[in-house]
Amino acid sequence: MTLLHVDGSDFTGLVNRRWMPTGNVETTSDAARSGAEGIRLGANQYGVDVTGMPTGGTVRFLTGTGNSAYERVTVSLAGQDTNPRDIAFKSDGTKMYVVGAANDAVYQYSLAVAWDLSTATYDTVSVSVATEATLPQGVAFKSDGSKMYVVDDTANAVFQYTLATPWDLSTATYDTVTVSVAGEGTSPRGLAFKSDGTKMYVVDSGNERLYQYGLSSAWDLSTAAYDSVSKALTTGTKQGVAFNPA
């Protein structure tokens, strides 16, 4: 398994660090942009999708491994939120979701061609999380699209939502279920889940660490507890986390 995190303001461009099973670190950068906020992987590829340019918001897609060429495709988010913080994708790559801190909402997009950002269009569908999260920083979904999770900096907590129709934000409602992560970090920025929903990972920019939580009932935050396991990350403003299962 490969762990990736993305650094933001402390770098002049997008930087991700890959911890390979051997312990080696591979770094890639894109000096053309700064303020990277989120990171996700595409299907059957080593992809990075990044949001959060402070002046309006862009998703950039980079794909490639080792010394291979990186593809750069962008889609503007400024029409929905001027402070996008993180992204997530439907498992088949036909939907993209962006959480924004300007309006405290999650937005839904369709990709006519799976995983191809050049075909992305806004669905005019969003869900407000403002009642729970006043500074949302990260978003993640259950593997079947029936649950959504948002991590908030102000509350220092993760909130759980149900989607009555999987992957359709218009059917999302708050479960009145939350788990505090205040005992571990001070500035949670991104989150990810193990594929079976029994582990949750939260990256914290204040302590520059990644924290691990166990869920005794898969995908149910009411059963989440800190595993007393964390990993120090390299110096920089930690903004997102993703796992490559390969």
Side-chain angles (χ1 to χ4, degrees):
M1 177 179 288
T2 305
L3 164 66
L4 297 90
H5 75 270
V6 63
D7 294 305
S9 58
D10 286 356
F11 289 82
T12 58
L14 165 65
V15 176
N16 74 66
R17 282 175 164 72
R18 306 174 184 174
W19 278 271
M20 302 303 185
T22 58
N24 296 328
V25 177
E26 177 184 343
T27 301
T28 64
S29 64
D30 175 12
R33 301 304 294 252
S34 61
E37 298 291 348
I39 180 170
R40 288 295 180 267
L41 300 182
N44 302 317
Q45 59 196 359
Y46 214 58
V48 180
D49 303 272
V50 180
T51 67
M53 310 311 164
T55 56
T58 305
V59 174
R60 298 175 69 77
F61 178 71
L62 296 88
T63 181
T65 58
N67 296 320
S68 64
Y70 281 76
E71 174 187 11
R72 292 168 174 82
V73 178
T74 66
V75 57
S76 175
L77 309 172
Q80 289 73 60
D81 201 287
T82 57
N83 190 15
R85 307 304 294 178
D86 196 17
I87 52 176
F89 285 84
K90 184 178 178 181
S91 53
D92 65 2
T94 61
K95 294 288 183 181
M96 178 179 76
Y97 307 87
V98 176
V99 62
N103 300 321
D104 301 330
V106 183
Y107 306 88
Q108 177 180 305
Y109 303 77
S110 287
L111 284 73
V113 178
W115 304 109
D116 184 352
L117 288 186
S118 69
T119 69
T121 55
Y122 179 46
D123 286 346
T124 318
V125 174
S126 65
V127 58
S128 174
V129 295
T131 301
E132 300 79 48
T134 57
L135 194 57
Q137 297 292 319
V139 62
F141 285 81
K142 184 178 177 180
S143 55
D144 66 1
S146 64
K147 295 287 183 182
M148 179 179 76
Y149 308 87
V150 173
V151 64
D152 183 69
D153 188 13
T154 302
N156 218 339
V158 183
F159 300 92
Q160 176 180 304
Y161 303 77
T162 290
L163 283 70
T165 300
W167 305 110
D168 182 354
L169 287 187
S170 69
T171 69
T173 55
Y174 177 45
D175 285 346
T176 319
V177 174
T178 182
V179 59
S180 173
V181 295
E184 292 71 60
T186 58
S187 299
R189 285 294 184 268
L191 76 163
F193 285 82
K194 186 178 177 182
S195 57
D196 65 2
T198 60
K199 295 290 183 184
M200 179 179 73
Y201 307 89
V202 175
V203 65
D204 188 87
S205 66
N207 295 339
E208 296 181 355
R209 300 191 73 88
L210 181 69
Y211 296 94
Q212 176 181 302
Y213 302 79
L215 285 72
S216 57
S217 180
W219 303 107
D220 183 354
L221 285 189
S222 69
T223 69
Y226 179 46
D227 283 344
S228 298
V229 174
S230 67
K231 178 179 178 60
L233 302 176
T234 53
T235 301
T237 306
K238 305 300 169 287
Q239 300 290 355
V241 61
F243 288 86
N244 175 12

